[in-house]
Amino acid sequence: MKDTAGRQMYRLAERLFPICRSITGNGVRETLSIIREELPELTLHEVPSGTPVFDWNIPKEWNIRDGYIENGAGERILDFKNNNLHIMGYSVPVDRYVSREELLQYVYVEETQPDAIPYVTSYYQERYGFCMTKKQRDALPEDTYHIAIDSSLQEGSLTYGELLIQGECEDEILVSTYICHPSMANNELSGPVVAAWLAKWVMNQKERHYSWRFLYLPETIGSITYLSIHLEELKKKVKAGFLLTCVGDNRTYSYIATRKGDTLSDRAAVNVLKSLYPEFNQYSFLHRGSDERQYDAPGVDLPVCVICRSKFGEYPEYHTSLDNMSLISPEGLEGAYRCMVRIGRLLHYYGYYRVNCLCEPQLGKRGLYPTVSKKGSYDDVLVMRDFLAYADGKTDLIEISNIIHASVEELIPVIDTLREYGLISFERG
Amino acid sequence: MKDTAGRQMYRLAERLFPICRSITGNGVRETLSIIREELPELTLHEVPSGTPVFDWNIPKEWNIRDGYIENGAGERILDFKNNNLHIMGYSVPVDRYVSREELLQYVYVEETQPDAIPYVTSYYQERYGFCMTKKQRDALPEDTYHIAIDSSLQEGSLTYGELLIQGECEDEILVSTYICHPSMANNELSGPVVAAWLAKWVMNQKERHYSWRFLYLPETIGSITYLSIHLEELKKKVKAGFLLTCVGDNRTYSYIATRKGDTLSDRAAVNVLKSLYPEFNQYSFLHRGSDERQYDAPGVDLPVCVICRSKFGEYPEYHTSLDNMSLISPEGLEGAYRCMVRIGRLLHYYGYYRVNCLCEPQLGKRGLYPTVSKKGSYDDVLVMRDFLAYADGKTDLIEISNIIHASVEELIPVIDTLREYGLISFERG
Amino acid sequence: MKDTAGRQMYRLAERLFPICRSITGNGVRETLSIIREELPELTLHEVPSGTPVFDWNIPKEWNIRDGYIENGAGERILDFKNNNLHIMGYSVPVDRYVSREELLQYVYVEETQPDAIPYVTSYYQERYGFCMTKKQRDALPEDTYHIAIDSSLQEGSLTYGELLIQGECEDEILVSTYICHPSMANNELSGPVVAAWLAKWVMNQKERHYSWRFLYLPETIGSITYLSIHLEELKKKVKAGFLLTCVGDNRTYSYIATRKGDTLSDRAAVNVLKSLYPEFNQYSFLHRGSDERQYDAPGVDLPVCVICRSKFGEYPEYHTSLDNMSLISPEGLEGAYRCMVRIGRLLHYYGYYRVNCLCEPQLGKRGLYPTVSKKGSYDDVLVMRDFLAYADGKTDLIEISNIIHASVEELIPVIDTLREYGLISFERG
């Protein structure tokens, strides 16, 4: 069995799955150091707690060693070691004996999914909490419970990873993903692993017009932090941007538009998705939810759209223990990877093509066209003829592709042929 | 039972109903003087007969005291005193005995509505006429009839009312209605009474950015006259304008677009009507019929759209004796009044909002946001989040409202809160 | 029976039908000299073989005298004299005896139409060929066949016709048609004959704002040749252009948009076709196929759209012997002619109209409007009122026509009346 990119990505996700990540802490560092085994060029950065970042401040660093609930008989009925979702993210330490009634004040369940442990956090208000299935909670007997969390919340730093792959010019394509979720697979180990393989693909390209910037951030506070440091640079350089999240299941493809809705990122994503999976789900920015909230915020205005397989919030396993390694697959990851590669190819070819002569060129004398003219004899060369008919140096590649109903992927070999024969010129514009 | 604005408006309409109004004459003066009891600030203006107004001239002033048809037995079979619609508007005096055959030349009926007396006028060609039900006409026996109209048509003046309520700036909102129809209720006493209550609401506002101009005109010749005097001033000042007509029945809501179709008036009206009564009838300017014909005429170009309940020409009682006090209701008038108040509020808040920080503000630390993050925990604050996501200082209030599918009425408390916390700035633009 | 334009055009087509035309040669000259009997002003032009024209060169001139296949018994089983489609266009001379097997290498049939002789050419690669019905080919017995073509392919020239009808200004309307098809009727004798009658109509107009340029060209190489000589002049002068092809059958109407899709040509054509035949077929430039490929090519950018009855490629008889005189009819030709006349009238009236007064003009005092006002009394003057309401000097005639749902053909008498009364001004803009 061939070792596909999909299988390789899946294996990396398997290795990262057990780690307890949050928006700060050693889980993030361990995750990034494993990803660096694939991408040694990835650099790690630390920003101290308390640093002001726009309207926010870097929070204290959170680390956790253990957490559990014991019943009166001293049996662990809930254990962080079994599933790190059991402890609410950023829980402060506790070691108390409580009645069932009091315990319930600290227990979180997903009422509509009786078998799922929900993913719950409280980053900016100090509290503690335990997450369990609704079934388990409903069956808790009257008892005295020992609740214990061995965690720390103290001055430290926020950690993120960054990789810049230099192209022929300073203009950049931004790829952002997040590494702050504990043991969930689609949301979110799929994004980091697909981003890693995409970065490898970029590095393997012989010609690379654009530079590419890959960011591994904790969600929300991470992108706000990064933007507070790099905003002016990004505003100058970023020509297109993509947030990769929930890219591991194999059920569908989804896309969330930028706030403006018609940037190069949007147009590239829609063009590729239409040809790859015509029934893909197209969401407006109203359905945003991840770091595109920051990248596309007023005044930030970076053209970042979101690529998903099943969109966050739209699949039942979302933000629960059901979002595990069985939800994602090598095929799911590979599909997202191939989509991003197509987008990368499209952007490399993106620009303005102009036919080099007035009126139609004589394709026949170049062997590009049948020399006998009869009904239907030109059907095979229709894409080339249509491309030439619209290659006016003013209609960009994506617009031509949309007008003539031929995906950029189909047009690339036609463009290569026409450039080889000197029939068209190219300006990136 | 609470004395609502609707009931108060209905009572005023009842009082005005019997008066015989036309485009000139004492009926107009009496009507305006009764309205002045509610709006003492309303000023009355007279323009002499013969005054040239653009392509027109102010016609002679028409007044009528009596009018009837007697049969051979001396019985009044038709009497102005029973219903002033019986005499064609602007009928010249007559006192003659005529055969049935000749009488029929002067009789107007509505062929498709056997029980309705039609509303008929002949302002610009001197003639006389009698209006009756089709049933009555069809039953007229051979006889000698005495036809008599005691009217006068002579040099005088055209009367209109005007009320300017000063705001913080010279920019104006124009409200126009007409007072030239005899005893019909929806078309047209509803407009004058709703305009009066709207003017009271405007005067009661503590903060009032815009000035408001209320016009009580005879239809067509009145607006042409007013425009011939005030056009340059209006072109400078009027930012939005609304013609109120047929605003008294409780069957539906309707709107006729300005000629341009996308002025602030249109956008405000559509935004409010969509939230107030989503199934409202939207008409293009092709369906115009009242003074918007003048306000929106080429070269005049004032942004005046029309607000109706059932639109003129579209309800069966229109321009007949069936358009009486039973057709309109306190609820009908109140609905139109509330619609206009919402439009007034929208215009007061109209402009450009900009979030004061880069990236999303941290709502949680201000108590505007849940501190526990779990699936669905932000649904309640969605409108505020969406408003902030689009508050870029370039997208105006109405456009934001349309994009995020939240009416301006819903956004007003959100805006108040965000301004209170200093999170957004406002520019009227 | 009245001798209509349709019948006259049909008779001319009948006369031209038997001539063997191609992209060069005496068939073209004979065709043009017969058309000159109708249009003596038509001038003929010759461009020598070998002349470079953009990416092409004028090919050698082709003439043919005879061509046939004889069977072993010396019987002509296929004869150019019966149908000139039997010989592939531009066939080089041959005089050989061949087996059935070899013969089949030179035989072309239309596999899907067993009774049709297909129309086949090989302009730019020297070869010879015979076209027959699929039925005939399938029935060819083993035999020795004598194949003979008495043709010549040598230095000569390409011939085209041109007619410029001077108008009041240098701005031009271009009409292009082609005269390179052998014995086929709809495609293509219909275009040349309709163009001739349209030219006569243009010459008969008393007032003629635009100049008109009529071109009779061989397809593709002819338009490329003409453009290589006249491009700069045409780019300066041509305001609208129409390619006439397949305008003789009476089944439907069709239109192919220019590449830009919204030029004056497109707007005029669509406006006229919508009123003439609302269910007409509207094709985008993707469905181009004739000389519009050159006129609308990038850098050429002339606003030339295509008018057809049944569009080329879309009717079953296309490019076969079934496209004969029974396919077209006087009614078919007449319909296309009337369509073009309407387009000519529209263009003559095209421009910006402005009402001469502010507010509505008083139509009643000019007898253009009923003096009694009652429900429905203005319905008859609706088109005039609507035209005036939009005649703002900024909305062009076609746009007004589209907005008010009245064809330009309906508006022309209204415009004439309003200009007569001095109520509107006109600027061509």
Side-chain angles (χ1 to χ4, degrees):
Chain A
M1 200 161 69
K2 205 184 141 203
D3 193 22
T4 61
R7 283 201 196 93
Q8 293 166 10
M9 289 187 274
Y10 190 85
R11 284 202 303 272
L12 176 60
E14 276 181 321
R15 197 171 153 205
L16 296 170
F17 188 76
I19 302 168
C20 182
R21 281 164 292 270
S22 186
I23 54 172
T24 60
N26 292 324
V28 178
R29 293 185 191 99
E30 186 184 349
T31 298
L32 289 173
S33 84
I34 292 171
I35 292 172
R36 287 189 69 196
E37 296 176 21
E38 298 290 342
L39 287 183
E41 301 82 355
L42 185 72
T43 58
L44 266 55
H45 303 263
E46 303 279 348
V47 184
S49 300
T51 307
V53 290
F54 294 137
D55 193 47
W56 304 61
N57 288 77
I58 304 285
K60 289 181 182 161
E61 179 175 328
W62 184 65
N63 284 292
I64 179 165
R65 282 155 298 276
D66 201 4
Y68 55 85
I69 303 177
E70 281 176 354
N71 63 13
E75 298 158 340
R76 288 205 176 186
I77 61 161
L78 174 150
D79 193 341
F80 171 74
K81 295 196 169 63
N82 292 336
N83 192 323
N84 55 35
L85 293 175
H86 276 316
I87 305 301
M88 168 191 265
Y90 259 63
S91 280
V92 295
V94 64
D95 189 356
R96 295 179 53 209
Y97 291 81
V98 297
S99 67
R100 175 179 171 278
E101 192 186 348
E102 190 181 353
L103 172 62
L104 291 183
Q105 297 174 26
Y106 309 121
V107 167
Y108 297 85
V109 305
E110 179 53 52
E111 301 287 350
T112 62
Q113 292 173 287
D115 292 309
I117 308 165
Y119 168 49
V120 183
T121 63
S122 179
Y123 299 135
Y124 298 101
Q125 175 147 327
E126 296 196 3
R127 53 161 70 84
Y128 50 80
F130 299 87
C131 305
M132 59 180 70
T133 67
K134 173 176 154 61
K135 271 196 188 150
Q136 183 175 17
R137 184 202 59 188
D138 291 351
L140 286 178
E142 291 294 341
D143 202 344
T144 296
Y145 292 95
H146 179 198
I147 60 174
I149 298 177
D150 177 12
S151 67
S152 63
L153 188 59
Q154 50 200 35
E155 299 302 313
S157 59
L158 174 150
T159 311
Y160 68 83
E162 183 184 20
L163 167 57
L164 190 72
I165 306 171
Q166 189 63 42
E168 294 151 19
C169 77
E170 295 297 302
D171 291 345
E172 279 184 15
I173 299 166
L174 176 70
V175 176
S176 184
T177 185
Y178 50 100
I179 36 69
C180 58
H181 280 194
S183 296
M184 289 180 294
N186 200 32
N187 178 226
E188 191 63 76
L189 286 172
S190 63
V193 302
V194 170
W197 259 253
L198 179 61
K200 290 181 189 216
W201 176 83
V202 170
M203 287 189 284
N204 284 332
Q205 296 308 296
K206 283 185 202 146
E207 292 193 2
R208 186 164 58 232
H209 175 71
Y210 290 108
S211 300
W212 290 66
R213 185 184 297 252
F214 288 82
L215 299 178
Y216 286 81
L217 307 167
E219 208 177 5
T220 303
I221 188 66
S223 51
I224 293 170
T225 299
Y226 191 83
L227 287 166
S228 77
I229 304 169
H230 293 278
L231 181 58
E232 288 317 305
E233 182 188 0
L234 294 181
K235 288 186 84 149
K236 248 179 280 169
K237 295 182 172 175
V238 173
K239 298 306 164 199
F242 304 91
L243 182 84
L244 298 184
T245 174
C246 302
V247 285
D249 70 321
N250 201 23
R251 292 181 283 203
T252 186
Y253 285 85
S254 308
Y255 144 83
I256 306 170
T258 65
R259 187 159 59 89
K260 293 187 179 163
D262 61 352
T263 68
L264 178 55
S265 317
D266 296 286
R267 298 175 66 223
V270 169
N271 188 281
V272 165
L273 285 165
K274 265 201 304 204
S275 72
L276 191 69
Y277 193 78
E279 58 275 37
F280 78 101
N281 304 299
Q282 204 159 347
Y283 295 94
S284 84
F285 193 65
L286 288 179
H287 299 270
R288 72 200 177 283
S290 182
D291 286 327
E292 74 280 12
R293 285 158 30 216
Q294 316 309 330
Y295 292 123
D296 294 75
V300 178
D301 294 323
L302 295 174
V304 176
C305 68
V306 183
I307 303 292
C308 307
R309 300 294 313 255
S310 290
K311 180 187 167 288
F312 51 81
E314 299 289 326
Y315 61 94
E317 303 87 352
Y318 171 72
H319 270 206
T320 73
S321 54
L322 305 179
D323 185 350
N324 55 36
M325 287 305 292
S326 69
L327 184 67
I328 68 171
S329 65
E331 294 73 25
L333 296 164
E334 177 107 17
Y337 167 69
R338 298 227 166 275
C339 170
M340 288 309 300
V341 164
R342 279 202 188 190
I343 289 175
R345 280 164 60 79
L346 180 154
L347 291 170
H348 186 70
Y349 276 84
Y350 177 74
Y352 296 83
Y353 295 88
R354 180 193 297 272
V355 61
N356 283 336
C357 64
L358 288 166
C359 292
E360 292 183 322
Q362 192 178 359
L363 296 175
K365 69 183 181 190
R366 296 171 178 95
L368 299 172
Y369 208 69
T371 54
V372 171
S373 167
K374 49 179 302 209
K375 251 204 264 201
S377 56
Y378 307 131
D379 294 355
D380 291 345
V381 288
L382 191 59
V383 169
M384 183 178 285
R385 294 180 70 200
D386 281 350
F387 183 80
L388 285 167
Y390 287 90
D392 60 2
K394 287 174 247 167
T395 310
D396 75 22
L397 175 60
I398 297 173
E399 198 176 344
I400 292 182
S401 162
N402 293 339
I403 291 172
I404 73 175
H405 308 300
S407 71
V408 169
E409 199 70 16
E410 276 178 90
L411 290 178
I412 285 174
V414 170
I415 290 169
D416 287 345
T417 299
L418 291 173
R419 293 186 79 172
E420 186 187 328
Y421 281 93
L423 285 170
I424 52 172
S425 320
F426 175 61
E427 272 184 55
R428 206 163 283 271
Chain B
M1 200 160 69
K2 203 184 143 203
D3 193 22
T4 61
R7 283 202 195 92
Q8 292 164 12
M9 288 186 274
Y10 189 84
R11 284 202 303 272
L12 176 60
E14 276 182 320
R15 196 170 153 206
L16 296 169
F17 188 76
I19 301 169
C20 181
R21 281 163 292 273
S22 186
I23 55 172
T24 61
N26 292 324
V28 178
R29 293 186 189 99
E30 186 183 349
T31 298
L32 289 173
S33 85
I34 291 171
I35 292 171
R36 286 189 69 194
E37 295 177 22
E38 298 290 344
L39 288 182
E41 301 82 355
L42 185 73
T43 58
L44 267 54
H45 303 263
E46 302 280 347
V47 184
S49 301
T51 307
V53 290
F54 295 138
D55 193 48
W56 304 60
N57 289 77
I58 304 285
K60 290 181 182 162
E61 179 175 328
W62 183 67
N63 284 290
I64 180 167
R65 283 155 297 275
D66 201 2
Y68 55 85
I69 303 174
E70 281 177 355
N71 63 14
E75 298 159 340
R76 289 205 175 185
I77 63 163
L78 173 149
D79 194 341
F80 171 74
K81 296 196 167 64
N82 293 336
N83 191 323
N84 55 35
L85 293 176
H86 277 315
I87 305 302
M88 168 190 266
Y90 259 64
S91 280
V92 294
V94 64
D95 189 356
R96 294 179 54 208
Y97 290 82
V98 296
S99 68
R100 176 178 170 279
E101 191 186 347
E102 190 181 353
L103 172 62
L104 290 183
Q105 297 174 26
Y106 308 121
V107 167
Y108 296 86
V109 305
E110 178 53 53
E111 300 289 351
T112 62
Q113 292 173 287
D115 291 309
I117 308 165
Y119 168 49
V120 183
T121 64
S122 179
Y123 298 136
Y124 298 101
Q125 176 147 328
E126 296 195 4
R127 53 162 70 85
Y128 49 80
F130 299 86
C131 305
M132 60 180 70
T133 67
K134 173 176 155 59
K135 271 194 187 153
Q136 183 175 15
R137 184 203 59 187
D138 292 350
L140 285 178
E142 290 295 340
D143 201 345
T144 296
Y145 292 96
H146 179 196
I147 60 175
I149 298 177
D150 177 13
S151 67
S152 62
L153 187 59
Q154 51 201 34
E155 299 302 313
S157 60
L158 174 149
T159 311
Y160 68 83
E162 183 185 20
L163 167 58
L164 190 72
I165 306 170
Q166 189 62 43
E168 295 151 19
C169 76
E170 295 297 303
D171 291 345
E172 278 185 16
I173 299 166
L174 175 70
V175 177
S176 183
T177 186
Y178 51 100
I179 36 69
C180 58
H181 280 193
S183 295
M184 290 179 295
N186 200 33
N187 177 227
E188 191 62 76
L189 286 171
S190 63
V193 303
V194 170
W197 259 253
L198 178 62
K200 291 179 188 219
W201 175 83
V202 170
M203 287 188 285
N204 284 333
Q205 296 308 296
K206 282 185 203 147
E207 292 192 2
R208 187 164 58 231
H209 175 71
Y210 290 108
S211 299
W212 290 66
R213 185 184 297 251
F214 288 82
L215 299 179
Y216 286 81
L217 306 168
E219 206 178 5
T220 304
I221 188 67
S223 51
I224 292 171
T225 300
Y226 192 84
L227 287 166
S228 76
I229 304 169
H230 294 278
L231 181 59
E232 288 317 304
E233 182 188 1
L234 295 181
K235 288 185 84 149
K236 247 178 282 168
K237 295 182 171 176
V238 173
K239 299 304 165 201
F242 304 90
L243 182 83
L244 298 184
T245 175
C246 303
V247 286
D249 70 321
N250 202 23
R251 292 180 284 203
T252 186
Y253 285 85
S254 309
Y255 144 82
I256 306 171
T258 66
R259 187 158 59 90
K260 293 186 180 164
D262 61 352
T263 68
L264 178 56
S265 317
D266 295 287
R267 298 174 65 223
V270 169
N271 188 281
V272 164
L273 285 166
K274 265 202 304 205
S275 72
L276 190 69
Y277 193 78
E279 60 274 38
F280 78 101
N281 304 300
Q282 203 160 347
Y283 295 95
S284 84
F285 192 65
L286 288 180
H287 298 271
R288 72 200 177 282
S290 182
D291 285 327
E292 75 279 13
R293 284 158 28 217
Q294 317 309 329
Y295 292 123
D296 294 75
V300 178
D301 294 322
L302 295 173
V304 176
C305 68
V306 182
I307 304 293
C308 308
R309 299 295 311 256
S310 289
K311 179 187 168 289
F312 51 81
E314 300 288 327
Y315 61 93
E317 303 87 353
Y318 171 71
H319 270 207
T320 74
S321 54
L322 306 178
D323 185 349
N324 56 35
M325 288 305 293
S326 69
L327 184 67
I328 69 171
S329 66
E331 294 72 26
L333 296 163
E334 177 107 15
Y337 167 69
R338 298 228 165 274
C339 169
M340 288 310 301
V341 164
R342 281 203 186 188
I343 289 175
R345 281 164 61 78
L346 179 154
L347 292 170
H348 186 71
Y349 277 84
Y350 177 74
Y352 296 82
Y353 295 87
R354 181 193 297 271
V355 60
N356 284 335
C357 65
L358 288 166
C359 292
E360 291 183 322
Q362 193 178 0
L363 296 174
K365 70 184 182 191
R366 296 171 177 96
L368 298 173
Y369 208 69
T371 53
V372 171
S373 167
K374 49 179 302 211
K375 251 205 262 203
S377 55
Y378 307 131
D379 294 354
D380 291 346
V381 287
L382 190 59
V383 169
M384 182 178 286
R385 294 181 70 200
D386 281 349
F387 183 81
L388 285 168
Y390 287 89
D392 59 2
K394 287 175 248 168
T395 309
D396 75 22
L397 175 60
I398 297 174
E399 198 176 343
I400 293 181
S401 163
N402 293 339
I403 291 172
I404 73 176
H405 308 300
S407 71
V408 169
E409 199 69 18
E410 277 177 90
L411 291 178
I412 285 175
V414 170
I415 290 169
D416 287 344
T417 299
L418 291 172
R419 293 186 79 172
E420 186 188 328
Y421 280 93
L423 285 170
I424 53 171
S425 319
F426 175 61
E427 270 184 55
R428 206 163 284 269
Chain C
M1 200 160 69
K2 205 184 141 202
D3 192 23
T4 60
R7 283 200 196 95
Q8 293 166 10
M9 288 187 274
Y10 190 84
R11 283 202 303 272
L12 176 59
E14 275 181 321
R15 197 170 153 205
L16 296 170
F17 188 76
I19 302 169
C20 182
R21 281 163 293 271
S22 185
I23 54 171
T24 61
N26 292 323
V28 178
R29 293 186 190 99
E30 186 185 348
T31 298
L32 289 173
S33 84
I34 291 171
I35 292 171
R36 286 189 70 193
E37 295 176 23
E38 298 291 341
L39 288 183
E41 301 82 356
L42 185 72
T43 58
L44 266 56
H45 303 262
E46 302 281 345
V47 184
S49 300
T51 307
V53 289
F54 295 137
D55 193 48
W56 305 59
N57 288 78
I58 304 285
K60 290 180 184 164
E61 179 174 329
W62 183 67
N63 284 290
I64 179 167
R65 282 157 298 276
D66 200 3
Y68 56 85
I69 303 175
E70 281 177 353
N71 63 13
E75 297 159 340
R76 288 205 175 186
I77 62 163
L78 174 149
D79 194 339
F80 171 74
K81 296 195 167 64
N82 292 337
N83 191 323
N84 55 35
L85 293 175
H86 276 317
I87 305 301
M88 168 190 265
Y90 259 63
S91 281
V92 294
V94 64
D95 188 356
R96 295 179 55 208
Y97 291 82
V98 296
S99 67
R100 176 179 170 278
E101 192 186 346
E102 189 182 353
L103 171 62
L104 290 184
Q105 297 175 25
Y106 309 121
V107 167
Y108 296 85
V109 305
E110 178 52 54
E111 300 288 351
T112 62
Q113 292 173 288
D115 293 309
I117 309 165
Y119 168 49
V120 183
T121 63
S122 179
Y123 299 136
Y124 298 101
Q125 175 148 328
E126 297 196 3
R127 54 162 68 87
Y128 50 80
F130 299 86
C131 306
M132 60 179 71
T133 66
K134 173 177 154 61
K135 270 193 189 154
Q136 183 175 15
R137 183 202 61 188
D138 292 351
L140 285 178
E142 290 295 339
D143 202 344
T144 295
Y145 292 95
H146 179 197
I147 59 174
I149 298 177
D150 177 12
S151 66
S152 62
L153 188 59
Q154 51 200 34
E155 299 303 312
S157 59
L158 174 150
T159 312
Y160 68 82
E162 183 184 20
L163 166 57
L164 190 72
I165 306 171
Q166 189 62 42
E168 294 152 18
C169 77
E170 295 297 302
D171 291 346
E172 280 184 14
I173 299 166
L174 176 71
V175 176
S176 184
T177 186
Y178 51 100
I179 35 70
C180 58
H181 280 193
S183 295
M184 289 180 295
N186 199 33
N187 176 226
E188 194 58 79
L189 286 171
S190 63
V193 302
V194 169
W197 259 253
L198 179 60
K200 289 180 190 216
W201 175 83
V202 170
M203 288 188 285
N204 284 333
Q205 297 308 296
K206 282 185 204 147
E207 294 192 359
R208 186 165 57 233
H209 175 70
Y210 290 109
S211 300
W212 289 67
R213 186 184 298 250
F214 288 83
L215 298 179
Y216 286 82
L217 306 168
E219 206 178 5
T220 304
I221 188 67
S223 51
I224 292 170
T225 299
Y226 192 84
L227 288 166
S228 77
I229 304 169
H230 294 280
L231 181 58
E232 288 316 305
E233 182 188 0
L234 295 181
K235 288 187 84 149
K236 247 178 279 168
K237 295 182 172 176
V238 172
K239 298 305 165 200
F242 304 90
L243 182 83
L244 298 184
T245 174
C246 302
V247 285
D249 70 321
N250 202 22
R251 292 181 283 205
T252 185
Y253 285 85
S254 308
Y255 144 83
I256 306 171
T258 66
R259 186 159 59 91
K260 292 185 180 164
D262 61 352
T263 68
L264 178 54
S265 317
D266 296 287
R267 298 174 67 224
V270 170
N271 189 280
V272 165
L273 284 166
K274 266 202 303 205
S275 72
L276 191 69
Y277 193 79
E279 58 276 37
F280 77 102
N281 303 300
Q282 204 160 348
Y283 294 94
S284 84
F285 193 65
L286 289 179
H287 299 270
R288 71 199 177 283
S290 182
D291 285 327
E292 74 280 12
R293 286 159 27 218
Q294 316 309 329
Y295 292 123
D296 295 74
V300 179
D301 295 322
L302 295 174
V304 175
C305 67
V306 183
I307 303 292
C308 308
R309 300 294 310 256
S310 289
K311 179 187 168 289
F312 51 81
E314 300 288 327
Y315 60 95
E317 303 87 351
Y318 171 73
H319 269 206
T320 73
S321 55
L322 305 178
D323 185 349
N324 55 37
M325 288 303 293
S326 69
L327 184 67
I328 69 171
S329 65
E331 294 72 26
L333 296 162
E334 178 107 17
Y337 167 69
R338 299 228 165 274
C339 170
M340 288 310 301
V341 165
R342 279 202 187 189
I343 289 175
R345 281 164 59 79
L346 179 154
L347 292 170
H348 186 70
Y349 277 84
Y350 176 74
Y352 296 83
Y353 294 87
R354 180 193 296 273
V355 61
N356 283 334
C357 65
L358 288 166
C359 292
E360 292 182 322
Q362 192 178 1
L363 296 175
K365 70 183 181 191
R366 297 172 177 94
L368 299 173
Y369 208 68
T371 53
V372 171
S373 167
K374 50 180 302 213
K375 250 205 262 202
S377 55
Y378 307 131
D379 293 356
D380 292 344
V381 288
L382 191 59
V383 169
M384 183 178 284
R385 295 179 70 199
D386 281 350
F387 183 81
L388 285 168
Y390 287 89
D392 59 2
K394 286 175 247 166
T395 311
D396 75 22
L397 175 60
I398 297 174
E399 198 176 343
I400 293 181
S401 162
N402 293 339
I403 291 171
I404 74 176
H405 308 301
S407 71
V408 169
E409 199 69 18
E410 276 179 90
L411 291 179
I412 285 175
V414 170
I415 290 170
D416 287 344
T417 299
L418 292 172
R419 293 186 79 172
E420 186 187 329
Y421 281 93
L423 285 169
I424 52 172
S425 320
F426 174 62
E427 272 184 54
R428 205 162 285 269

